[in-house]
Structures are given as C-alpha cells and as structure tokens.
Amino acid sequence: MADTAAQPFKIEPTPGGVGAFVQGIDLANDLSSNTVGALRQALGDHCVLFFRDQKLTPDQHIEAAEKFGEINVNRFFSRVPTHDKIALVVKEPDQTANIGGAWHTDHSYDQIPAMGSMLLARQTPTRGGDTLFANMYAAYDSLSDGLKQTLNGLRAVHSSRHRFGPNAQGREGYKGRLGNAELAQQDAVHPVVISHPISGRKALYVNDAFTLQFEGWTKEESEPLLKMLYAHASRPEHTYRFQWAPGSIAFWDNRASWHYAVNDYHGARREMHRITLEGEALDA
Ligand SMILES: O=C(O)CCC(=O)C(=O)O
Ligand SMILES: [Fe+2]
C-alpha cells in the first residue's frame, strides 16, 4: 500500500471483512495526482472505499471520477437527465423492485469488465436502504488448498442476456429504469480466479447474477460448485454493511468485491448517482 503518512487524509479499515473509510478528503478539491494514486492503491487493497459528506454537484462528481479513469456509460440503466455520463439508480415510493438487490458484481458479462463505480447518495430513506459489500480476496484465501488448485485451472462463462435481455425475469418491475434490452448480447469468459490488476492478489471472480457455468462443464455440473462458492463468498465475516446518508459515496472495485442493495424501504424514495469506470481484461 502507498505510504499515506504524508497525506492529509486517513484510511481506516471498517470493523467488518471488507472496505475502508477515507476521512479528511474533499473529492471536489483534494484530488491531486498523488492522492489519486494513493486512493487507487487503497481501493486495490480494501476493495471498496467509503466517503462521507461529499458536497459534489453532478459535474464535480464526473470530474472526480474521471481522475481515476475513463467513464463507462452503462447501456441498460437510465441516466440522470442533465448528465448522461451518470446512471440513475432510483427506487420511487410506489415501486417494489430495487436495482442490485442480490449479491453480484457489475459488468462481469463484458469481455473487458468495468473497473468499478463511484456511487453517490442523493436521497436516502429515513431507515433502511443499506448496501452490503463482500471481499473476493477473502473469499478465495479462505478456501482449502485443494479447491484453490481446482479453481485456478477453470474459466467461467458470464452473460447479460438472462438479466437485461428481452426475456429477463421480472423485467416489468424495472419499467422506465432499465432499457436497451436488445443490447443484452454480451457473453464473456473469464478466469474463475483472477490476479487483481491493482494489487496482484488472487480474487474469486464468479457471481450469482451473471455467471452461467464453468467453461467446458454443463450447467448441471457447474451449479453445485457455483452454489457452494456463492454461499462461502457471502459469509458474514467477508462482508460489511454500509449505511448511507445524502453525500455518502461508495467507490468499489468490481474485480475484488460484490455488493447487495438491501430492499427494505418500500414506500420511501432512494436516489443514487452512479459513475462507472472502464477496466481491463482479466488474467488468471
Ligand atoms: O443502490 C445500491 O446501493 C447499489 C445498486 C447497484 O447494484 C449498482 O449501482 O450497481
Ligand atoms: Fe451493482
């Protein structure tokens, strides 16, 4: 990890199994190239970084995100009307389905999956609406040597079709929030265990939302092992549950973490602004 002693901000690991709080930083004004470098290393180490009380306009949000890479405009999410680089992750009081309400990592269906997202809370319910994160280094490290060895030789097939395509289950619940179903044509194959592009550490890279099967295995053969891995990866000791307030930011790395948006605030409104950053091809 970069030496942050000379930096004006502090990186404090959460009391859980993943993530760190970054204190003493204003993302609108303090992103020197040294700070960006230190935060990128911290992201690679902690999988997700949390910031509080960031008073960013949408333009400042875009400016901050662009310091970390090129923006990837998600093709399925609706956008903030005035800023089409920002995806709108919203649930209205009369809606029941939320976006991201099960364990997943974003964009694993792409050949070159997005690096991560900077999610900024704009409006939060008075209670509920937390997001859980899970640590995919810990998920891998805590497996037996025997299973690690098996997984290191495998690749898995991921897809967007069954989630965002015209025949995706539960589509109606997302009317007006998800679109471009005809563009859900991505399939991608990635190693089941990747070397993380920033940290070089091994991370488990399968997820229940988008992984279909192991390459060269049938779905039936793949399912029991995938299920076991999903249960293992989401064990409480690998996770942290983040409580939002307007101005909170979670900046997560898709290659090292999963997330899960808890859907327990029916009747209230929750609005988040998401900027996603381009990533790179993933190697074993
Ligand atoms: O709303 C949230 O907390 C996260 C939603 C989600 O899965 C995402 O924005 O990728
Ligand atoms: Fe997500």
Side-chain angles (χ1 to χ4, degrees), residues 5-6 33 72 96 103 105 120 129 134 152-153 172-173 198 205 219 239 245 270:
S33 58
N72 169 311
T96 50
W103 282 117
T105 191
L120 166 61
N152 274 301
E172 321 74 58
I198 301 174
Y205 194 72
K219 283 197 173 163
T239 73
R270 180 176 183 272

Side-chain angles (χ1 to χ4, degrees), residues 104 106 259 274:
H104 67 284
D106 302 329
H259 53 279
R274 191 180 105 169

Side-chain angles (χ1 to χ4, degrees), residues 77 89 99-100 104 106 119 131 244 252 259 261 270 272 274:
F77 285 50
V89 177
I99 290 169
H104 67 284
D106 302 329
L119 187 69
T131 304
W244 300 89
W252 68 78
H259 53 279
R270 180 176 183 272
M272 318 292 274
R274 191 180 105 169

Side-chain angles (χ1 to χ4, degrees), residues 37 123 231:
Q123 187 179 359

Side-chain angles (χ1 to χ4, degrees), residues 173-240:
Y174 296 98
K175 246 203 192 110
R177 289 183 289 170
L178 291 178
N180 290 336
E182 68 288 354
L183 298 184
Q185 312 225 1
Q186 300 75 30
D187 292 313
V189 177
H190 303 291
V192 168
V193 180
I194 57 162
S195 292
H196 192 275
I198 301 174
S199 68
R201 290 179 63 187
K202 283 178 186 265
L204 185 66
Y205 194 72
V206 286
N207 72 94
D208 200 8
F210 302 119
T211 306
L212 297 180
Q213 64 202 93
F214 298 113
E215 185 183 48
W217 296 31
T218 65
K219 283 197 173 163
E220 291 69 28
E221 289 167 341
S222 305
E223 190 179 280
L225 179 50
L226 285 172
K227 278 211 161 118
M228 178 264 141
L229 292 172
Y230 300 151
H232 173 80
S234 59
R235 289 172 65 104
E237 57 269 39
H238 301 150
T239 73
Y240 179 69

Side-chain angles (χ1 to χ4, degrees), residues 97-205:
N98 74 334
I99 290 169
W103 282 117
H104 67 284
T105 191
D106 302 329
H107 285 255
S108 72
Y109 46 80
D110 284 332
Q111 309 277 348
I112 301 191
M115 179 272 257
S117 283
M118 218 183 242
L119 187 69
L120 166 61
R122 291 291 180 193
Q123 187 179 359
T124 54
T126 45
R127 60 158 301 282
D130 297 350
T131 304
L132 282 85
F133 292 86
N135 185 327
M136 292 305 113
Y137 299 133
Y140 174 77
D141 290 342
S142 56
L143 295 169
S144 68
D145 289 343
L147 186 50
K148 281 180 182 158
Q149 209 175 347
T150 299
L151 296 179
N152 274 301
L154 294 178
R155 305 194 326 148
V157 184
H158 302 244
S159 181
S160 62
R161 297 165 198 268
H162 61 299
R163 292 287 165 191
F164 298 124
N167 302 319
Q169 256 189 354
R171 266 206 80 77
E172 321 74 58
Y174 296 98
K175 246 203 192 110
R177 289 183 289 170
L178 291 178
N180 290 336
E182 68 288 354
L183 298 184
Q185 312 225 1
Q186 300 75 30
D187 292 313
V189 177
H190 303 291
V192 168
V193 180
I194 57 162
S195 292
H196 192 275
I198 301 174
S199 68
R201 290 179 63 187
K202 283 178 186 265
L204 185 66
Y205 194 72

